[in-house]
């Protein structure tokens, strides 16, 4: 008999949640019923989805009694910690965009182009990695398979949309000379080397996430990784400078071919014609763009890469929908 699927979107009114809706409309998955949840604040508001009007419901403990097959959560860690276990105890597979469960041993951390096999090891919760990790690891995985990575140095240039609606508002208001509400200093005209909270070791939590999540997704627990993550006055799309050292030597043109033949990556690298990826070019796309590929002349087998992706689409919404898509296969 034909199985009917029910999907819940938790945090449907947020920046990522709204993009989840857009991606679902584009993909038109074989899902029969959709339900949209938010906090009490947006409950009762209306959403247009696939030509129909839906009323957003307040998320409550009994919301999952409706018998969902899947839920995509984009409502932050506190909401995920409270409601994802309730959902999964009722047979619903949760794909969570927050950092609540990412490093839990029994929760797979998945990028469908990189470690799709981990999806099937879930116990009811699958974590979507951090946005800056997703775009980096999409590019690093095929290189690790071919040349074995020895060490990674991440330097990120992250858009304000990564901090939600309030992040975008701070940039918009900052241009008008108003004081920030989300960031500790004005983001307009500044680069702030501070994303998420500071930890006792001098790193920020965002930097720690990139380091730990890279190791978990690549199944390389002892990989040497360091990171500096920076918020920049860009609306959307994270850019990253990535320096990588390999165990094996490589030929640059072969390495480009490896990336060109890998899923979800576009090599856009033609400096003769001034071609390299940048935020306003990549926004709205699902692929991860890579350019400025060049040998690191200071080490034996190293390379520098410039990686740009839409942090709200591939870095969050699209990745989560792709996981549900795989579960439906
Ligand atoms: P709401 O619109 O009611 O605040 P963003 O990161 O862009 O601010 O979006 C956060 C999303 O998470 C919003 O949809 C928000 O709903 C939702 N959200 C926040 N707290 C809760 C909660 N306790 N229960 C359900 N949804 C929540």
């Amino acid at each position: 008999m034909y199985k009917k699927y029910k999907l819940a979107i938790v945090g449907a009114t947020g920046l990522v949640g709204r993009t989840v809706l857009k991606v679902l409309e584009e993909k038109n998955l074989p899902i029969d019923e959709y339900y949209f949840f938010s906090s009490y604040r947006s409950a009762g508001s209306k959403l247009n989805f696939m030509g129909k009007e839906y009323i957003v419901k307040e998320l409550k403990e009994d919301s999952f009694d409706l018998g969902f097959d899947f839920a995509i959560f984009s409502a932050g860690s506190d909401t995920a910690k409270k409601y994802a276990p309730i959902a999964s105890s009722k047979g619903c597979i949760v794909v969570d965009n927050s950092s609540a469960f990412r490093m839990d041993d029994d929760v797979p951390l998945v990028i469908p182009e990189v470690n799709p096999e981990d999806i099937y090891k879930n116990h009811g919760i699958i974590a979507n990695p951090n946005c800056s990790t997703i775009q980096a690891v999409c590019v690093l995985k095929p290189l690790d398979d071919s040349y074995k990575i020895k060490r990674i140095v991440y330097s990120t240039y992250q858009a304000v949309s990564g901090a939600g609606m309030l992040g975008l508002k701070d940039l918009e208001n900052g241009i008008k000379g108003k004081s920030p509400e989300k960031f500790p200093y004005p983001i307009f005209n500044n680069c702030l080397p501070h994303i998420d909270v500071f930890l006792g070791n001098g790193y920020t939590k965002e930097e720690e996430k990139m380091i730990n999540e890279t190791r978990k997704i690549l199944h390389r627990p002892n990989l040497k990784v360091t990171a500096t993550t920076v918020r920049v006055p860009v609306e959307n799309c994270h850019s990253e400078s990535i320096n990588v050292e390999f165990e094996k030597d490589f030929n640059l043109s072969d390495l480009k071919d490896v990336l060109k033949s890998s899923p979800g990556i576009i090599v856009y690298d033609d400096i003769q014609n001034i071609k390299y990826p940048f935020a306003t070019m990549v926004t709205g796309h699902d692929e991860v763009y890579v350019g400025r590929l060049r040998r690191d002349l200071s080490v034996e087998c190293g390379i520098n890469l410039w990686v740009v992706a839409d942090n709200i689409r591939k870095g969050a919404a699209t990745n989560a929908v792709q996981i549900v898509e795989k579960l439906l296969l």
Side-chain angles (χ1 to χ4, degrees):
M1 208 183 90
Y2 169 69
K3 161 107 177 92
K4 288 198 161 194
Y5 289 106
K6 251 190 208 181
L7 172 67
I9 319 295
V10 175
T13 50
L15 204 53
V16 174
R18 285 176 190 275
T19 309
V20 167
L21 265 64
K22 221 187 279 173
V23 176
L24 283 168
E25 280 183 327
E26 291 163 12
K27 286 196 178 271
N28 199 12
L29 301 180
I31 287 173
D32 303 275
E33 287 182 54
Y34 295 89
Y35 286 77
F36 303 98
F37 295 97
S38 72
S39 79
Y40 67 91
R41 292 180 293 273
S42 303
S45 61
K46 291 173 182 157
L47 284 176
N48 282 310
F49 179 70
M50 291 189 169
K52 259 175 76 180
E53 194 173 77
Y54 288 81
I55 308 278
V56 179
K57 293 176 188 292
E58 180 182 352
L59 185 69
K60 294 191 179 150
E61 289 188 15
D62 63 3
S63 298
F64 296 96
D65 293 351
L66 286 164
F68 290 105
D69 300 282
F70 312 109
I72 296 178
F73 275 56
S74 314
S77 286
D78 291 343
T79 306
K81 277 183 196 151
K82 182 165 175 195
Y83 293 98
I86 297 175
S88 70
S89 76
K90 296 192 172 155
C92 170
I93 300 181
V94 173
V95 179
D96 179 36
N97 262 310
S98 82
S99 60
F101 308 104
R102 285 183 193 148
M103 295 313 297
D104 289 9
D105 285 341
D106 63 343
V107 174
L109 184 62
V110 176
I111 306 172
E113 293 89 343
V114 173
N115 57 336
E117 66 287 352
D118 288 342
I119 291 178
Y120 310 100
K121 296 177 193 156
N122 82 79
H123 301 281
I125 301 178
I126 299 168
N128 220 35
N130 176 264
C131 44
S132 40
T133 311
I134 290 179
Q135 65 185 76
V137 176
C138 271
V139 173
L140 294 175
K141 165 70 175 165
L143 300 182
D144 190 40
D145 288 345
S146 299
Y147 308 109
K148 189 143 193 227
I149 297 175
K150 201 161 138 188
R151 179 169 183 255
I152 303 166
V153 181
Y154 289 132
S155 307
T156 71
Y157 305 74
Q158 297 184 220
V160 294
S161 61
M165 303 271 196
L166 291 176
L168 281 164
K169 215 169 120 197
D170 260 18
L171 177 58
E172 201 182 299
N173 285 340
I175 296 168
K176 297 177 197 150
K178 291 190 194 161
S179 300
E181 286 173 36
K182 173 77 182 168
F183 304 119
Y185 297 103
I187 188 62
F188 177 59
N189 265 346
N190 284 318
C191 298
L192 304 177
H194 174 188
I195 302 181
D196 211 329
V197 294
F198 281 107
L199 306 171
N201 59 5
Y203 282 76
T204 62
K205 199 166 169 205
E206 183 81 355
E207 289 159 355
E208 186 187 72
K209 284 178 201 166
M210 282 197 85
I211 295 165
N212 292 339
E213 293 179 22
T214 298
R215 290 176 175 150
K216 179 166 173 174
I217 300 164
L218 291 176
H219 300 289
R220 298 276 315 269
N222 302 314
L223 188 60
K224 289 184 182 171
V225 190
T226 191
T228 302
T229 60
V230 181
R231 188 74 71 192
V232 297
V234 164
E235 274 181 11
N236 196 45
C237 283
H238 293 344
S239 304
E240 300 178 351
S241 160
I242 308 180
N243 176 265
V244 195
E245 265 184 81
F246 301 112
E247 301 277 357
K248 293 186 205 160
D249 203 1
F250 61 91
N251 165 290
L252 191 56
S253 138
D254 293 346
L255 185 147
K256 284 188 189 182
D257 288 342
V258 166
L259 292 177
K260 280 179 194 162
S261 62
S262 300
I265 298 173
I266 292 182
V267 177
Y268 190 75
D269 186 27
D270 178 8
I271 50 170
Q272 264 74 43
N273 292 302
I274 325 279
K275 285 190 174 170
Y276 43 77
F278 51 87
T280 53
M281 178 192 124
V282 172
T283 197
H285 293 263
D286 283 329
E287 297 84 1
V288 175
Y289 284 67
V290 55
R292 296 296 320 280
L293 284 118
R294 63 211 189 275
R295 214 169 234 287
D296 175 352
L297 302 173
S298 71
V299 292
E300 235 166 75
C301 309
I303 192 161
N304 286 308
L305 310 159
W306 177 249
V307 175
V308 185
D310 187 323
N311 52 299
I312 301 291
R313 284 188 68 103
K314 183 55 190 163
T318 302
N319 199 75
V321 175
Q322 284 176 317
I323 293 172
V324 172
E325 193 174 18
K326 288 261 178 211
L327 287 164
L328 283 163
L329 285 178

